Amino acid sequence: MANPQAELNNGPVAAAMLAAGIGCLVLGIITCLAQARKAIGAAINFYYPTGPLGGKTMVAIVAWLVAWAVLSSKWKEASVDFGKMFMVTLILVGLGLLGSFPLFFDLF
Amino acid sequence: MTLSLTYRETWAVIHGMMLGSLFLLAYAGGLAELINLSSVWSTEAGVIKRVRRLKIGTRVMAVVAWLTVITGTYIVYPWYRANPPAGADLTMFPRSLLLSKPETAEWHKFGMEWKEHVAWLAPILATAVAYMVTKYGVRLAKDAQVRRAVIVLFTISFCTAAIAGLFGAFINKAAPIH
């Protein structure tokens, strides 16, 4: 029988939303780091034909999926302040966009 | 009359004109469904139908977004960035061709550098949107806060894909994949 309380929980959707923001942020950070330190760019050059791009995106995807798994398990049956989580997500996505913008990451 | 494309051109078409365009075009339909989902404007049966279409549409868009970035990064991009051997015809090496002239260098330094990174935000956000729509279902019609969040993330996903698509089209015009 379905748990009526569980149906009201917004934790799982907030977890998916916030994890996406974290994934975007990590992509922005790793892009700046790879630009600032050539050694990092070389270290994440997992597949030579794509250069560091493949590694940057792989790191971001792993961070996103790990964050989603952790937050989902934590908020599986919880309700969170959705408005606050949405604002945090927008900030993380915004920072991710900034970090992946060439005029910004070329500063490093 | 012969209409032919090389193997590389075919993949560039699949990546940009088929998968990328499908994602961008589907956005308008998805946005209209989300905006019109408000329970004020819809009957209960109408909401159920709209949510069913939204679930299918957002899932398909997420899959298409992933296929677009994967084909772009792992199939087309290696041809774009390949280093030419000494004395090679640069028309077969788009990045080197762009960088060889000051008037086209920014297409790589700014356009391609932005496109290749920002494009990856689209599938991450599209997946979150698909999950939120699937998980929340008909409750989206009543919960304006969550619906607004879905619309905003959906729109950011579209914008990142549009930036990538726009620069992809321009760069392929300046230095095509052959």
Side-chain angles (χ1 to χ4, degrees):
Chain A
M1 191 173 148
N3 177 358
Q5 185 57 46
E7 286 183 11
L8 295 173
N9 295 337
N10 62 18
V13 291
M17 180 176 72
L18 189 58
I22 291 170
C24 294
L25 174 71
V26 171
L27 182 63
I29 290 172
I30 197 77
T31 300
C32 292
L33 286 176
Q35 188 71 13
R37 303 267 180 209
K38 294 300 169 198
I40 294 175
I44 57 171
N45 192 351
F46 303 139
Y47 178 58
Y48 183 76
T50 64
L53 178 64
K56 290 176 204 171
T57 55
M58 197 68 74
V59 169
I61 289 167
V62 169
W64 163 54
L65 293 175
V66 168
W68 195 354
V70 170
L71 290 169
S72 282
S73 115
K74 196 175 172 190
W75 292 345
K76 193 176 177 183
E77 292 178 3
S79 268
V80 298
D81 183 343
F82 192 86
K84 192 175 165 186
M85 288 304 125
F86 179 50
M87 287 312 296
V88 172
T89 301
L90 285 184
I91 291 167
L92 297 179
V93 172
L95 290 172
L97 284 167
L98 182 65
S100 56
F101 187 61
L103 297 183
F104 181 76
F105 67 66
D106 281 343
L107 296 173
F108 295 95
Chain B
M1 185 172 74
T2 306
L3 297 173
S4 67
L5 289 172
T6 64
Y7 179 71
R8 291 181 177 192
E9 287 166 346
T10 303
W11 272 110
V13 166
I14 291 170
H15 161 68
M17 291 177 67
M18 292 171 72
L19 295 168
S21 298
L22 177 62
F23 181 84
L24 294 174
L25 290 171
Y27 167 78
L31 182 66
E33 291 282 24
L34 281 166
I35 289 172
N36 290 323
L37 196 57
S38 167
S39 55
V40 178
W41 298 334
S42 303
T43 62
E44 196 175 335
V47 167
I48 291 169
K49 273 189 180 176
R50 279 186 191 282
V51 168
R52 195 179 301 141
R53 283 198 298 264
L54 264 174
K55 283 182 181 176
I56 294 168
T58 52
R59 286 174 194 172
V60 169
M61 284 182 73
V63 170
V64 168
W66 282 111
L67 290 175
T68 307
V69 294
I70 289 167
T71 55
T73 301
Y74 290 96
I75 298 176
V76 180
Y77 182 60
W79 296 325
Y80 169 85
R81 76 181 294 273
N83 288 320
D89 174 10
L90 290 186
T91 57
M92 296 300 288
F93 300 90
R95 180 176 69 168
S96 299
L97 178 64
L98 292 173
L99 291 173
S100 69
K101 290 175 274 184
E103 63 268 28
T104 56
E106 286 303 316
W107 282 118
H108 172 75
K109 290 179 183 170
F110 178 75
M112 191 63 189
E113 289 285 349
W114 194 15
K115 166 193 163 60
E116 70 190 35
H117 292 102
V118 81
W120 278 87
L121 301 188
I124 292 174
L125 294 170
T127 304
V129 165
Y131 179 83
M132 290 167 81
V133 167
T134 301
K135 191 78 180 170
Y136 238 58
V138 293
R139 281 193 293 158
L140 272 177
K142 290 177 184 160
D143 194 328
Q145 193 180 38
V146 175
R147 193 170 66 248
R148 200 177 310 123
V150 168
I151 289 171
V152 170
L153 295 181
F154 193 51
T155 301
I156 297 172
S157 175
F158 166 80
C159 290
T160 58
I163 291 166
L166 192 66
F167 275 106
F170 282 134
I171 290 165
N172 202 44
K173 186 78 178 167
I177 298 275
H178 291 297

mmCIF file of all heavy atoms in Angstrom, chain B residues 68-84:
data_model
loop_
_atom_site.group_PDB
_atom_site.id
_atom_site.type_symbol
_atom_site.label_atom_id
_atom_site.label_comp_id
_atom_site.label_asym_id
_atom_site.label_seq_id
_atom_site.Cartn_x
_atom_site.Cartn_y
_atom_site.Cartn_z
ATOM 1 N N THR B 68 23.301 13.511 -28.244
ATOM 2 C CA THR B 68 23.904 14.644 -28.959
ATOM 3 C C THR B 68 25.308 14.933 -28.431
ATOM 4 O O THR B 68 26.252 15.066 -29.218
ATOM 5 C CB THR B 68 23.023 15.909 -28.808
ATOM 6 O OG1 THR B 68 21.697 15.596 -29.202
ATOM 7 C CG2 THR B 68 23.549 17.046 -29.669
ATOM 8 N N VAL B 69 25.458 15.016 -27.116
ATOM 9 C CA VAL B 69 26.793 15.358 -26.586
ATOM 10 C C VAL B 69 27.770 14.188 -26.735
ATOM 11 O O VAL B 69 28.967 14.395 -26.959
ATOM 12 C CB VAL B 69 26.749 15.845 -25.110
ATOM 13 C CG1 VAL B 69 26.015 17.169 -24.998
ATOM 14 C CG2 VAL B 69 26.156 14.807 -24.176
ATOM 15 N N ILE B 70 27.261 12.969 -26.639
ATOM 16 C CA ILE B 70 28.166 11.811 -26.771
ATOM 17 C C ILE B 70 28.673 11.687 -28.216
ATOM 18 O O ILE B 70 29.874 11.511 -28.443
ATOM 19 C CB ILE B 70 27.468 10.512 -26.290
ATOM 20 C CG1 ILE B 70 27.315 10.556 -24.760
ATOM 21 C CG2 ILE B 70 28.262 9.276 -26.708
ATOM 22 C CD1 ILE B 70 26.387 9.500 -24.185
ATOM 23 N N THR B 71 27.762 11.814 -29.193
ATOM 24 C CA THR B 71 28.223 11.737 -30.596
ATOM 25 C C THR B 71 29.124 12.933 -30.912
ATOM 26 O O THR B 71 30.106 12.800 -31.643
ATOM 27 C CB THR B 71 27.042 11.709 -31.590
ATOM 28 O OG1 THR B 71 26.204 12.856 -31.360
ATOM 29 C CG2 THR B 71 26.216 10.455 -31.478
ATOM 30 N N GLY B 72 28.788 14.081 -30.361
ATOM 31 C CA GLY B 72 29.592 15.282 -30.622
ATOM 32 C C GLY B 72 30.994 15.141 -30.054
ATOM 33 O O GLY B 72 31.982 15.391 -30.754
ATOM 34 N N THR B 73 31.079 14.718 -28.794
ATOM 35 C CA THR B 73 32.385 14.671 -28.121
ATOM 36 C C THR B 73 33.246 13.491 -28.582
ATOM 37 O O THR B 73 34.454 13.651 -28.765
ATOM 38 C CB THR B 73 32.184 14.592 -26.589
ATOM 39 O OG1 THR B 73 31.439 15.738 -26.177
ATOM 40 C CG2 THR B 73 33.516 14.555 -25.845
ATOM 41 N N TYR B 74 32.618 12.337 -28.732
ATOM 42 C CA TYR B 74 33.430 11.138 -28.986
ATOM 43 C C TYR B 74 33.514 10.720 -30.458
ATOM 44 O O TYR B 74 34.326 9.872 -30.800
ATOM 45 C CB TYR B 74 32.915 9.973 -28.128
ATOM 46 C CG TYR B 74 33.223 10.205 -26.670
ATOM 47 C CD1 TYR B 74 32.276 10.772 -25.814
ATOM 48 C CD2 TYR B 74 34.488 9.931 -26.159
ATOM 49 C CE1 TYR B 74 32.576 11.040 -24.493
ATOM 50 C CE2 TYR B 74 34.798 10.189 -24.839
ATOM 51 C CZ TYR B 74 33.832 10.740 -24.005
ATOM 52 O OH TYR B 74 34.152 11.013 -22.694
ATOM 53 N N ILE B 75 32.674 11.291 -31.322
ATOM 54 C CA ILE B 75 32.757 10.924 -32.744
ATOM 55 C C ILE B 75 33.209 12.114 -33.594
ATOM 56 O O ILE B 75 34.199 12.038 -34.302
ATOM 57 C CB ILE B 75 31.397 10.372 -33.252
ATOM 58 C CG1 ILE B 75 31.051 9.091 -32.478
ATOM 59 C CG2 ILE B 75 31.477 10.079 -34.755
ATOM 60 C CD1 ILE B 75 29.692 8.500 -32.808
ATOM 61 N N VAL B 76 32.493 13.249 -33.490
ATOM 62 C CA VAL B 76 32.773 14.389 -34.382
ATOM 63 C C VAL B 76 33.972 15.218 -33.891
ATOM 64 O O VAL B 76 34.837 15.603 -34.681
ATOM 65 C CB VAL B 76 31.514 15.282 -34.532
ATOM 66 C CG1 VAL B 76 31.796 16.459 -35.460
ATOM 67 C CG2 VAL B 76 30.339 14.462 -35.066
ATOM 68 N N TYR B 77 34.024 15.487 -32.596
ATOM 69 C CA TYR B 77 35.064 16.370 -32.041
ATOM 70 C C TYR B 77 36.502 15.872 -32.304
ATOM 71 O O TYR B 77 37.383 16.679 -32.628
ATOM 72 C CB TYR B 77 34.803 16.555 -30.544
ATOM 73 C CG TYR B 77 35.745 17.475 -29.826
ATOM 74 C CD1 TYR B 77 35.872 18.820 -30.186
ATOM 75 C CD2 TYR B 77 36.516 17.009 -28.763
ATOM 76 C CE1 TYR B 77 36.742 19.656 -29.511
ATOM 77 C CE2 TYR B 77 37.373 17.840 -28.074
ATOM 78 C CZ TYR B 77 37.490 19.158 -28.450
ATOM 79 O OH TYR B 77 38.356 19.988 -27.777
ATOM 80 N N PRO B 78 36.774 14.567 -32.185
ATOM 81 C CA PRO B 78 38.142 14.104 -32.496
ATOM 82 C C PRO B 78 38.573 14.441 -33.930
ATOM 83 O O PRO B 78 39.749 14.752 -34.162
ATOM 84 C CB PRO B 78 38.065 12.589 -32.290
ATOM 85 C CG PRO B 78 37.003 12.423 -31.250
ATOM 86 C CD PRO B 78 35.973 13.465 -31.614
ATOM 87 N N TRP B 79 37.628 14.434 -34.888
ATOM 88 C CA TRP B 79 37.983 14.830 -36.258
ATOM 89 C C TRP B 79 38.258 16.324 -36.311
ATOM 90 O O TRP B 79 39.112 16.777 -37.045
ATOM 91 C CB TRP B 79 36.849 14.478 -37.241
ATOM 92 C CG TRP B 79 36.588 13.013 -37.353
ATOM 93 C CD1 TRP B 79 37.515 12.016 -37.294
ATOM 94 C CD2 TRP B 79 35.325 12.377 -37.542
ATOM 95 N NE1 TRP B 79 36.901 10.797 -37.435
ATOM 96 C CE2 TRP B 79 35.560 10.978 -37.599
ATOM 97 C CE3 TRP B 79 34.008 12.830 -37.679
ATOM 98 C CZ2 TRP B 79 34.533 10.056 -37.771
ATOM 99 C CZ3 TRP B 79 32.988 11.916 -37.863
ATOM 100 C CH2 TRP B 79 33.246 10.547 -37.903
ATOM 101 N N TYR B 80 37.510 17.085 -35.531
ATOM 102 C CA TYR B 80 37.685 18.540 -35.502
ATOM 103 C C TYR B 80 39.061 18.912 -34.942
ATOM 104 O O TYR B 80 39.750 19.779 -35.473
ATOM 105 C CB TYR B 80 36.569 19.178 -34.654
ATOM 106 C CG TYR B 80 36.797 20.638 -34.347
ATOM 107 C CD1 TYR B 80 36.419 21.634 -35.245
ATOM 108 C CD2 TYR B 80 37.423 21.026 -33.155
ATOM 109 C CE1 TYR B 80 36.664 22.970 -34.974
ATOM 110 C CE2 TYR B 80 37.668 22.352 -32.877
ATOM 111 C CZ TYR B 80 37.284 23.320 -33.785
ATOM 112 O OH TYR B 80 37.536 24.649 -33.515
ATOM 113 N N ARG B 81 39.468 18.269 -33.848
ATOM 114 C CA ARG B 81 40.674 18.700 -33.134
ATOM 115 C C ARG B 81 41.948 17.950 -33.531
ATOM 116 O O ARG B 81 43.021 18.227 -32.989
ATOM 117 C CB ARG B 81 40.459 18.591 -31.614
ATOM 118 C CG ARG B 81 40.533 17.190 -31.074
ATOM 119 C CD ARG B 81 40.279 17.153 -29.577
ATOM 120 N NE ARG B 81 41.320 17.814 -28.800
ATOM 121 C CZ ARG B 81 42.427 17.216 -28.382
ATOM 122 N NH1 ARG B 81 42.664 15.951 -28.671
ATOM 123 N NH2 ARG B 81 43.318 17.878 -27.667
ATOM 124 N N ALA B 82 41.863 17.014 -34.470
ATOM 125 C CA ALA B 82 43.032 16.218 -34.848
ATOM 126 C C ALA B 82 44.168 17.123 -35.320
ATOM 127 O O ALA B 82 43.939 18.128 -35.995
ATOM 128 C CB ALA B 82 42.647 15.238 -35.949
ATOM 129 N N ASN B 83 45.394 16.758 -34.935
ATOM 130 C CA ASN B 83 46.563 17.535 -35.349
ATOM 131 C C ASN B 83 46.990 17.110 -36.751
ATOM 132 O O ASN B 83 47.177 15.917 -37.002
ATOM 133 C CB ASN B 83 47.725 17.306 -34.371
ATOM 134 C CG ASN B 83 47.464 17.993 -33.044
ATOM 135 O OD1 ASN B 83 46.957 19.111 -33.003
ATOM 136 N ND2 ASN B 83 47.774 17.303 -31.961
ATOM 137 N N PRO B 84 47.186 18.075 -37.653
ATOM 138 C CA PRO B 84 47.595 17.708 -39.021
ATOM 139 C C PRO B 84 49.089 17.375 -39.093
ATOM 140 O O PRO B 84 49.894 17.999 -38.397
ATOM 141 C CB PRO B 84 47.297 18.980 -39.815
ATOM 142 C CG PRO B 84 47.392 20.081 -38.820
ATOM 143 C CD PRO B 84 46.987 19.512 -37.487
#
